[in-house]
Amino acid sequence: MPISQRIAASVAATAALSIALTACGGTTKNSSSSSDSSSAAATSASANPDAPTKKGLTVAFLPKQVNNPYFTISDNGGKKALTALGSKYKEVGTSSGTDTSGQVSYVNTLTQQQVNAIAVSAQDPGALCTALKQAMKNGISVVTYDSDTNADCRQLFISQASAEDLGRTEVQLLAKQINYKGEIAILSAAQTATNQNTWIGFMKDELKKPEYKNVKLVKVAYGNDDAQTSFQQTQGLLQQYPNLKGIISPTTVGIKAAAQYIAGSKYKGKVEVTGLGTPNDMRAYVKNGTVTAFELWDPSKLGELAAYASVALASGQISGTSGQTFKAGDLGTFTIGDKGTVLLGKPTVFNKANIDSFDF
Ligand code: RAM
């Protein structure tokens, strides 16, 4: 395709330019984050915690999906933080949650444009790696947020909450709602999504415990973070398993579609729906009794933290090594943990009693 060829050509040109500048001792606009940015490893070699916070940087957010309300909230959080820091925010991305080649093209374009940092929620753990490594070689700081890549393809992963806690607590919530008995299913997002697959791994592990001996996971279905597909997948689950007692949907798009289907069907009151949703999406289903409880972190704070981390990296204050710390405005000071992971905090469980205290 002509556009992708053009992008590939300009990425190659950008790479050649960066090598030429390094060879003749020149600098690029990103070179102060790492004076020898010829490899991702070099980028993470040194940091100066006292380096001033740079202003006028451009940080690009590349969510899994641009038209997903969850990412609208998270990326607006990023915008707010970047504005406060005197840097520039931009957002690019695909409208489908399963367009990994589209995500790759966007990374290549951002590299060509020499943005200072990229914050990406990856649709797939490996597909973006070559492009992201190329970005890092060009001195661009790379963080993942929400959904990670393989650890060597980025400097930091800004994690919404402990993946283990999220996976286990979703099973705990549902099991309680169905009195620890009956068939259950999972309605996920894309089949390749790193975050959902990690959570599902912990759900399956949790289900091995003796208290769940009468709970049977019959199917994992994929709604691809598309409302219609998720609705149809829910319908299909009930057709295939009419005795289903509960659905866990660890995606804001999936849980809303599942609740919508159940609320309008003969299964209302018979099938519990839980998982990860936004309070604003789920309020009506909690109030009409379709959903008892579900959970989520504050997506806006996740975006803010991704922005602060990106600027700290691009300013050379941190390089991604565990134990380094950085400041994230009102969110406080964060320490980089194992495998370059930065943890936002604990999620909130929402139910009838507290849902009206949240507006996102
Ligand atoms: C969807 C996306 C996102 C996930 C949330 C919970 O919006 O799949 O990656 O973190 O749900």
Side-chain angles (χ1 to χ4, degrees):
M1 272 184 296
I3 291 180
S4 54
Q5 269 164 19
R6 246 185 296 144
I7 290 168
S10 42
V11 168
T14 309
L17 179 68
S18 151
I19 290 161
L21 287 172
T22 307
C24 69
T27 55
T28 66
K29 65 172 179 169
N30 298 307
S31 63
S32 55
S33 63
S34 165
S35 54
D36 175 13
S37 55
S38 57
S39 74
T43 309
S44 59
S46 63
N48 173 10
D50 299 322
T53 301
K54 288 190 182 177
K55 290 185 190 285
L57 301 171
T58 298
V59 179
F61 275 68
L62 173 50
K64 266 185 183 173
Q65 229 185 346
V66 282
N67 55 346
N68 176 335
Y70 165 86
F71 287 109
T72 307
I73 306 170
S74 65
D75 295 8
N76 274 337
K79 184 180 185 181
K80 179 179 141 195
L82 289 166
T83 308
L85 288 167
S87 277
K88 252 180 76 189
Y89 159 87
K90 70 188 264 176
E91 187 200 51
V92 292
T94 67
S95 55
S96 151
T98 57
D99 183 6
T100 50
S101 64
Q103 279 207 314
V104 169
S105 292
Y106 277 114
V107 172
N108 288 340
T109 305
L110 293 169
T111 302
Q112 174 203 340
Q113 293 170 346
Q114 292 192 273
V115 297
N116 299 93
I118 299 174
V120 57
S121 171
Q123 291 180 3
D124 180 291
L128 303 179
C129 281
T130 306
L132 289 176
K133 284 179 179 172
Q134 186 66 40
M136 289 191 285
K137 273 188 193 162
N138 280 271
I140 296 172
S141 301
V142 174
V143 309
T144 51
Y145 70 107
D146 176 71
S147 182
D148 201 8
T149 55
N150 297 330
D152 61 331
C153 313
R154 47 66 177 167
Q155 290 164 283
L156 293 176
F157 170 46
I158 312 304
S159 174
Q160 45 269 69
S162 149
E164 176 163 0
D165 275 3
L166 284 173
R168 294 194 191 284
T169 53
E170 284 169 66
V171 169
Q172 288 157 13
L173 279 174
L174 184 63
K176 204 170 153 202
Q177 291 162 9
I178 63 167
N179 293 322
Y180 296 85
K181 199 167 185 244
E183 293 179 349
I184 63 165
I186 295 171
L187 174 67
S188 190
Q191 206 160 353
T192 58
T194 325
N195 52 346
Q196 272 91 12
N197 286 341
T198 310
W199 302 329
I200 291 170
F202 286 113
M203 289 180 204
K204 288 182 175 167
D205 194 65
E206 179 70 14
L207 284 167
K208 288 182 189 152
K209 293 183 181 168
E211 57 262 46
Y212 307 109
K213 62 178 191 304
N214 296 323
V215 178
K216 187 173 176 221
L217 174 63
V218 291
K219 185 162 176 168
V220 180
Y222 298 93
N224 294 337
D225 274 346
D226 176 77
Q228 203 184 337
T229 311
S230 304
F231 187 90
Q232 286 163 351
Q233 286 293 320
T234 310
Q235 195 171 26
L237 281 173
L238 269 310
Q239 265 160 17
Q240 203 179 346
Y241 301 101
N243 294 322
L244 205 66
K245 289 283 174 289
I247 298 173
I248 300 175
S249 187
T251 126
T252 56
V253 179
I255 192 176
K256 185 183 178 191
Q260 195 188 353
Y261 175 76
I262 299 297
S265 74
K266 61 180 178 192
Y267 300 105
K268 179 160 185 267
K270 298 199 171 94
V271 178
E272 286 282 349
V273 176
T274 190
L276 304 174
T278 69
N280 287 354
D281 274 350
M282 302 308 292
R283 193 175 332 273
Y285 302 110
V286 168
K287 295 205 169 176
N288 76 13
T290 310
V291 172
T292 307
F294 64 98
E295 58 186 331
L296 198 71
W297 49 93
D298 183 340
S300 172
K301 290 188 176 157
L302 182 67
E304 278 182 56
L305 186 54
Y308 280 108
S310 300
V311 170
L313 277 173
S315 299
Q317 294 162 346
I318 53 173
S319 59
T321 305
S322 95
Q324 293 175 338
T325 61
F326 65 97
K327 291 200 176 71
D330 292 347
L331 299 178
T333 300
F334 288 78
T335 305
I336 301 172
D338 197 28
K339 290 191 185 141
T341 298
V342 177
L343 195 63
L344 175 66
K346 282 200 178 298
T348 303
V349 175
F350 306 100
N351 55 31
K352 235 180 204 155
N354 70 357
I355 195 158
D356 280 336
S357 316
F358 298 90
D359 183 16
F360 61 83

